[in-house]
Amino acid sequence: MDIAATVLDRKEIADRVEALGEQITRDYQGKKLVLICVLNGAFIFLADVARAINLDIEIDFIRVASYGNETESSGSIILRKEPDIDLAGKDILLVEDIVDSGITIAWLHEYFTIKHQAASVKICALINKYERRIVPVQVDYAGFQIDKGFIVGYGLDYAQKYRNLPDICTLAK
Ligand code: IMP
Ligand code: MG
């Protein structure tokens, strides 16, 4: 498998991430914002969106495994790494690479709402891919909407490869 086409280039991504950062900066004035990066896919998006937010924020990381094949999640989620910082009373923004079936982000939303006494839990996803949605989820901040297709780059992988591509691309079959 190799790259077939560029879907979103680095300039489009940078401009959109900058705009998301400005919107988040406006919305979270006076709040205790904590960005939670959903590993591994969101690491590059987190790095860029965090620097586009002009507020005093905290950053932590969570890692979950969702079993399935390389292109589709199965629905069973296992927690691999929990955040370390105290989240009670804080405003959590989950930073995710892509919401597809919605299973992962719905699980995370419930986990943070129930387990930690957060003031609020919202979702920021670079890509909202809605055709295969199984669980209804509200993506509060979405970088881009796509209906379908498997994409890689800018943190997104296929079997752990292509995460370092600066553009978001489709793969040739
Ligand atoms: P969901 O639980 O089905 O919403 O799956 C979300 C996870 O599946 C994402 O965090 C990605 O890791 C992975 N995923 C879904 N679609 C894609 C894609 O097009 N490219 C790369 N990873 C994807
Ligand atoms: Mg992911």
Side-chain angles (χ1 to χ4, degrees):
M1 269 194 174
D2 227 325
I3 301 310
T6 297
V7 181
L8 297 163
D9 71 28
R10 60 201 82 180
K11 173 82 171 76
E12 283 173 86
I13 298 169
D15 289 349
R16 186 67 190 117
V17 171
E18 198 61 39
L20 281 176
E22 284 167 15
Q23 194 185 343
I24 293 165
T25 302
R26 284 194 300 273
D27 294 353
Y28 283 88
Q29 292 291 329
K31 304 223 163 133
K32 293 180 186 156
L33 177 59
V34 185
L35 299 184
I36 302 283
C37 175
V38 184
L39 294 170
N40 293 340
F43 77 111
I44 292 178
F45 178 41
L46 182 277
D48 286 343
V49 80
R51 286 178 291 175
I53 297 171
N54 187 17
L55 294 170
D56 207 1
I57 62 171
E58 292 177 281
I59 296 175
D60 209 338
F61 300 84
I62 191 166
R63 186 181 161 92
V64 291
S66 107
Y67 286 97
N69 58 32
E70 281 107 348
T71 62
E72 213 168 331
S73 94
S74 68
S76 59
I77 309 281
I78 294 172
L79 188 57
R80 292 279 190 222
K81 184 225 170 291
E82 284 197 66
D84 296 309
I85 61 178
D86 181 14
L87 297 168
K90 294 181 183 163
D91 294 287
I92 296 175
L93 187 57
L94 300 174
V95 179
E96 174 64 301
D97 53 359
I98 183 165
V99 177
D100 183 15
S101 70
I103 292 169
T104 309
I105 206 71
W107 189 94
L108 287 167
H109 192 278
E110 187 178 300
Y111 168 81
F112 282 101
T113 304
I114 291 169
K115 165 110 193 222
H116 300 277
Q117 275 86 50
S120 67
V121 183
K122 290 196 171 182
I123 296 165
C124 174
L126 180 69
I127 315 269
N128 188 18
K129 183 165 82 175
Y130 46 82
E131 197 194 42
R132 296 201 297 195
R133 192 64 43 87
I134 292 167
V135 185
V137 285
Q138 184 184 330
V139 180
D140 303 282
Y141 301 92
F144 300 94
Q145 313 278 346
I146 64 169
D147 56 346
K148 59 182 173 185
F150 195 81
I151 52 180
V152 296
Y154 194 75
L156 292 153
D157 75 307
Y158 174 73
Q160 303 303 333
K161 286 180 65 190
Y162 308 105
R163 293 195 197 274
N164 60 320
L165 291 177
D167 306 312
I168 292 179
C169 306
T170 52
L171 290 175
K173 286 272 156 59

